[in-house]
PDB file of all heavy atoms in Angstrom:
ATOM      1  N   ALA A 265     142.775 -68.216  13.005  1.00  0.00           N
ATOM      2  CA  ALA A 265     143.789 -68.279  14.155  1.00  0.00           C
ATOM      3  C   ALA A 265     143.888 -69.672  14.809  1.00  0.00           C
ATOM      4  O   ALA A 265     144.975 -70.085  15.054  1.00  0.00           O
ATOM      5  CB  ALA A 265     143.348 -67.256  15.251  1.00  0.00           C
ATOM      6  N   PHE A 266     142.728 -70.175  15.041  1.00  0.00           N
ATOM      7  CA  PHE A 266     142.871 -71.579  15.735  1.00  0.00           C
ATOM      8  C   PHE A 266     143.374 -72.643  14.807  1.00  0.00           C
ATOM      9  O   PHE A 266     144.252 -73.514  15.155  1.00  0.00           O
ATOM     10  CB  PHE A 266     141.382 -71.996  16.032  1.00  0.00           C
ATOM     11  CG  PHE A 266     141.457 -73.188  17.015  1.00  0.00           C
ATOM     12  CD1 PHE A 266     141.695 -73.000  18.416  1.00  0.00           C
ATOM     13  CD2 PHE A 266     141.226 -74.518  16.567  1.00  0.00           C
ATOM     14  CE1 PHE A 266     141.728 -74.053  19.270  1.00  0.00           C
ATOM     15  CE2 PHE A 266     141.367 -75.563  17.497  1.00  0.00           C
ATOM     16  CZ  PHE A 266     141.519 -75.333  18.806  1.00  0.00           C
ATOM     17  N   ALA A 267     143.162 -72.472  13.462  1.00  0.00           N
ATOM     18  CA  ALA A 267     143.675 -73.392  12.483  1.00  0.00           C
ATOM     19  C   ALA A 267     145.229 -73.221  12.407  1.00  0.00           C
ATOM     20  O   ALA A 267     146.071 -74.249  12.243  1.00  0.00           O
ATOM     21  CB  ALA A 267     143.147 -73.171  11.123  1.00  0.00           C
ATOM     22  N   ARG A 268     145.775 -71.983  12.518  1.00  0.00           N
ATOM     23  CA  ARG A 268     147.166 -71.707  12.629  1.00  0.00           C
ATOM     24  C   ARG A 268     147.786 -72.243  13.805  1.00  0.00           C
ATOM     25  O   ARG A 268     148.908 -72.915  13.644  1.00  0.00           O
ATOM     26  CB  ARG A 268     147.374 -70.192  12.463  1.00  0.00           C
ATOM     27  CG  ARG A 268     146.917 -69.506  11.273  1.00  0.00           C
ATOM     28  CD  ARG A 268     147.387 -68.067  11.172  1.00  0.00           C
ATOM     29  NE  ARG A 268     148.767 -67.839  10.980  1.00  0.00           N
ATOM     30  CZ  ARG A 268     149.664 -66.981  11.545  1.00  0.00           C
ATOM     31  NH1 ARG A 268     149.048 -66.079  12.405  1.00  0.00           N
ATOM     32  NH2 ARG A 268     150.846 -66.938  11.263  1.00  0.00           N
ATOM     33  N   MET A 269     147.185 -72.219  14.915  1.00  0.00           N
ATOM     34  CA  MET A 269     147.716 -72.796  16.117  1.00  0.00           C
ATOM     35  C   MET A 269     147.733 -74.271  16.033  1.00  0.00           C
ATOM     36  O   MET A 269     148.867 -74.899  16.282  1.00  0.00           O
ATOM     37  CB  MET A 269     146.850 -72.477  17.354  1.00  0.00           C
ATOM     38  CG  MET A 269     147.227 -73.045  18.584  1.00  0.00           C
ATOM     39  SD  MET A 269     146.022 -73.045  19.945  1.00  0.00           S
ATOM     40  CE  MET A 269     145.607 -71.316  20.025  1.00  0.00           C
ATOM     41  N   PHE A 270     146.671 -74.927  15.497  1.00  0.00           N
ATOM     42  CA  PHE A 270     146.734 -76.479  15.252  1.00  0.00           C
ATOM     43  C   PHE A 270     147.889 -76.735  14.303  1.00  0.00           C
ATOM     44  O   PHE A 270     148.542 -77.821  14.637  1.00  0.00           O
ATOM     45  CB  PHE A 270     145.415 -76.854  14.713  1.00  0.00           C
ATOM     46  CG  PHE A 270     145.266 -78.323  14.627  1.00  0.00           C
ATOM     47  CD1 PHE A 270     145.117 -79.159  15.653  1.00  0.00           C
ATOM     48  CD2 PHE A 270     145.436 -78.897  13.352  1.00  0.00           C
ATOM     49  CE1 PHE A 270     145.031 -80.635  15.508  1.00  0.00           C
ATOM     50  CE2 PHE A 270     145.282 -80.284  13.150  1.00  0.00           C
ATOM     51  CZ  PHE A 270     145.221 -81.083  14.252  1.00  0.00           C
ATOM     52  N   THR A 271     148.031 -76.014  13.301  1.00  0.00           N
ATOM     53  CA  THR A 271     149.126 -76.356  12.181  1.00  0.00           C
ATOM     54  C   THR A 271     150.456 -76.130  12.902  1.00  0.00           C
ATOM     55  O   THR A 271     151.357 -77.036  12.612  1.00  0.00           O
ATOM     56  CB  THR A 271     148.985 -75.400  10.979  1.00  0.00           C
ATOM     57  OG1 THR A 271     147.557 -75.577  10.420  1.00  0.00           O
ATOM     58  CG2 THR A 271     149.968 -75.775   9.920  1.00  0.00           C
ATOM     59  N   PHE A 272     150.599 -75.199  13.648  1.00  0.00           N
ATOM     60  CA  PHE A 272     151.944 -74.925  14.263  1.00  0.00           C
ATOM     61  C   PHE A 272     152.218 -76.061  15.225  1.00  0.00           C
ATOM     62  O   PHE A 272     153.422 -76.556  15.193  1.00  0.00           O
ATOM     63  CB  PHE A 272     151.942 -73.672  15.066  1.00  0.00           C
ATOM     64  CG  PHE A 272     153.206 -73.208  15.712  1.00  0.00           C
ATOM     65  CD1 PHE A 272     154.071 -72.378  15.091  1.00  0.00           C
ATOM     66  CD2 PHE A 272     153.661 -73.697  16.991  1.00  0.00           C
ATOM     67  CE1 PHE A 272     155.397 -72.044  15.623  1.00  0.00           C
ATOM     68  CE2 PHE A 272     154.781 -73.314  17.495  1.00  0.00           C
ATOM     69  CZ  PHE A 272     155.648 -72.526  16.869  1.00  0.00           C
ATOM     70  N   ALA A 273     151.392 -76.454  16.065  1.00  0.00           N
ATOM     71  CA  ALA A 273     151.489 -77.605  16.947  1.00  0.00           C
ATOM     72  C   ALA A 273     151.808 -78.965  16.213  1.00  0.00           C
ATOM     73  O   ALA A 273     152.678 -79.624  16.553  1.00  0.00           O
ATOM     74  CB  ALA A 273     150.289 -77.850  17.901  1.00  0.00           C
ATOM     75  N   LEU A 274     151.229 -79.021  15.064  1.00  0.00           N
ATOM     76  CA  LEU A 274     151.374 -80.344  14.288  1.00  0.00           C
ATOM     77  C   LEU A 274     152.735 -80.381  13.514  1.00  0.00           C
ATOM     78  O   LEU A 274     153.417 -81.388  13.599  1.00  0.00           O
ATOM     79  CB  LEU A 274     150.273 -80.419  13.123  1.00  0.00           C
ATOM     80  CG  LEU A 274     150.017 -81.706  12.543  1.00  0.00           C
ATOM     81  CD1 LEU A 274     149.616 -82.728  13.633  1.00  0.00           C
ATOM     82  CD2 LEU A 274     149.088 -81.551  11.405  1.00  0.00           C
ATOM     83  N   ASN A 275     153.230 -79.204  13.252  1.00  0.00           N
ATOM     84  CA  ASN A 275     154.434 -79.074  12.539  1.00  0.00           C
ATOM     85  C   ASN A 275     155.696 -78.986  13.425  1.00  0.00           C
ATOM     86  O   ASN A 275     156.843 -79.208  12.933  1.00  0.00           O
ATOM     87  CB  ASN A 275     154.546 -77.900  11.466  1.00  0.00           C
ATOM     88  CG  ASN A 275     153.569 -78.095  10.335  1.00  0.00           C
ATOM     89  OD1 ASN A 275     153.353 -79.326   9.865  1.00  0.00           O
ATOM     90  ND2 ASN A 275     153.084 -76.961   9.820  1.00  0.00           N
ATOM     91  N   ASN A 276     155.459 -78.496  14.672  1.00  0.00           N
ATOM     92  CA  ASN A 276     156.574 -78.304  15.650  1.00  0.00           C
ATOM     93  C   ASN A 276     156.158 -79.002  16.958  1.00  0.00           C
ATOM     94  O   ASN A 276     155.999 -78.248  18.031  1.00  0.00           O
ATOM     95  CB  ASN A 276     156.777 -76.856  15.893  1.00  0.00           C
ATOM     96  CG  ASN A 276     157.061 -76.103  14.603  1.00  0.00           C
ATOM     97  OD1 ASN A 276     157.999 -76.137  14.006  1.00  0.00           O
ATOM     98  ND2 ASN A 276     155.997 -75.376  14.124  1.00  0.00           N
ATOM     99  N   PRO A 277     155.919 -80.270  17.020  1.00  0.00           N
ATOM    100  CA  PRO A 277     155.298 -80.864  18.205  1.00  0.00           C
ATOM    101  C   PRO A 277     156.126 -80.924  19.457  1.00  0.00           C
ATOM    102  O   PRO A 277     155.602 -80.602  20.535  1.00  0.00           O
ATOM    103  CB  PRO A 277     155.067 -82.434  17.627  1.00  0.00           C
ATOM    104  CG  PRO A 277     156.065 -82.576  16.588  1.00  0.00           C
ATOM    105  CD  PRO A 277     156.180 -81.247  15.818  1.00  0.00           C
ATOM    106  N   VAL A 278     157.402 -81.067  19.349  1.00  0.00           N
ATOM    107  CA  VAL A 278     158.322 -81.135  20.547  1.00  0.00           C
ATOM    108  C   VAL A 278     158.325 -79.736  21.079  1.00  0.00           C
ATOM    109  O   VAL A 278     158.206 -79.535  22.320  1.00  0.00           O
ATOM    110  CB  VAL A 278     159.637 -81.708  20.172  1.00  0.00           C
ATOM    111  CG1 VAL A 278     160.586 -81.525  21.361  1.00  0.00           C
ATOM    112  CG2 VAL A 278     159.524 -83.104  19.682  1.00  0.00           C
ATOM    113  N   TYR A 279     158.713 -78.782  20.228  1.00  0.00           N
ATOM    114  CA  TYR A 279     158.842 -77.325  20.751  1.00  0.00           C
ATOM    115  C   TYR A 279     157.434 -76.899  21.381  1.00  0.00           C
ATOM    116  O   TYR A 279     157.447 -76.224  22.348  1.00  0.00           O
ATOM    117  CB  TYR A 279     159.262 -76.463  19.601  1.00  0.00           C
ATOM    118  CG  TYR A 279     159.280 -74.972  19.917  1.00  0.00           C
ATOM    119  CD1 TYR A 279     160.156 -74.563  20.823  1.00  0.00           C
ATOM    120  CD2 TYR A 279     158.309 -74.148  19.422  1.00  0.00           C
ATOM    121  CE1 TYR A 279     160.082 -73.072  21.208  1.00  0.00           C
ATOM    122  CE2 TYR A 279     158.202 -72.782  19.634  1.00  0.00           C
ATOM    123  CZ  TYR A 279     159.218 -72.337  20.694  1.00  0.00           C
ATOM    124  OH  TYR A 279     159.174 -70.940  20.891  1.00  0.00           O
ATOM    125  N   PHE A 280     156.404 -77.126  20.604  1.00  0.00           N
ATOM    126  CA  PHE A 280     155.029 -76.715  21.129  1.00  0.00           C
ATOM    127  C   PHE A 280     154.753 -77.327  22.483  1.00  0.00           C
ATOM    128  O   PHE A 280     154.257 -76.672  23.440  1.00  0.00           O
ATOM    129  CB  PHE A 280     153.911 -77.094  20.145  1.00  0.00           C
ATOM    130  CG  PHE A 280     152.570 -76.542  20.429  1.00  0.00           C
ATOM    131  CD1 PHE A 280     152.274 -75.244  20.305  1.00  0.00           C
ATOM    132  CD2 PHE A 280     151.637 -77.394  21.044  1.00  0.00           C
ATOM    133  CE1 PHE A 280     150.968 -74.825  20.535  1.00  0.00           C
ATOM    134  CE2 PHE A 280     150.355 -76.978  21.336  1.00  0.00           C
ATOM    135  CZ  PHE A 280     150.032 -75.633  21.184  1.00  0.00           C
ATOM    136  N   ALA A 281     155.056 -78.660  22.637  1.00  0.00           N
ATOM    137  CA  ALA A 281     154.910 -79.262  23.935  1.00  0.00           C
ATOM    138  C   ALA A 281     155.780 -78.632  25.061  1.00  0.00           C
ATOM    139  O   ALA A 281     155.237 -78.409  26.131  1.00  0.00           O
ATOM    140  CB  ALA A 281     155.144 -80.816  23.776  1.00  0.00           C
ATOM    141  N   LYS A 282     156.921 -78.406  24.746  1.00  0.00           N
ATOM    142  CA  LYS A 282     157.779 -77.779  25.823  1.00  0.00           C
ATOM    143  C   LYS A 282     157.248 -76.401  26.173  1.00  0.00           C
ATOM    144  O   LYS A 282     157.149 -76.051  27.291  1.00  0.00           O
ATOM    145  CB  LYS A 282     159.300 -77.665  25.266  1.00  0.00           C
ATOM    146  CG  LYS A 282     160.065 -78.915  25.210  1.00  0.00           C
ATOM    147  CD  LYS A 282     161.459 -78.611  24.722  1.00  0.00           C
ATOM    148  CE  LYS A 282     162.210 -79.915  24.759  1.00  0.00           C
ATOM    149  NZ  LYS A 282     163.630 -79.660  24.211  1.00  0.00           N
ATOM    150  N   LEU A 283     156.896 -75.580  25.099  1.00  0.00           N
ATOM    151  CA  LEU A 283     156.369 -74.329  25.355  1.00  0.00           C
ATOM    152  C   LEU A 283     155.160 -74.403  26.355  1.00  0.00           C
ATOM    153  O   LEU A 283     154.958 -73.451  27.211  1.00  0.00           O
ATOM    154  CB  LEU A 283     156.090 -73.606  24.031  1.00  0.00           C
ATOM    155  CG  LEU A 283     155.672 -72.146  24.028  1.00  0.00           C
ATOM    156  CD1 LEU A 283     156.857 -71.363  24.584  1.00  0.00           C
ATOM    157  CD2 LEU A 283     155.283 -71.701  22.549  1.00  0.00           C
ATOM    158  N   SER A 284     154.247 -75.138  25.958  1.00  0.00           N
ATOM    159  CA  SER A 284     152.991 -75.387  26.710  1.00  0.00           C
ATOM    160  C   SER A 284     153.240 -75.762  28.042  1.00  0.00           C
ATOM    161  O   SER A 284     152.592 -75.343  29.086  1.00  0.00           O
ATOM    162  CB  SER A 284     152.004 -76.362  25.904  1.00  0.00           C
ATOM    163  OG  SER A 284     151.674 -75.754  24.655  1.00  0.00           O
TER     164      SER A 284
END
Side-chain angles (χ1 to χ4, degrees):
F266 194 81
R268 294 186 74 216
M269 180 197 298
F270 182 78
T271 305
F272 184 92
L274 197 64
N275 291 328
N276 310 282
V278 175
Y279 173 69
F280 185 79
K282 283 183 180 179
L283 188 63
S284 299

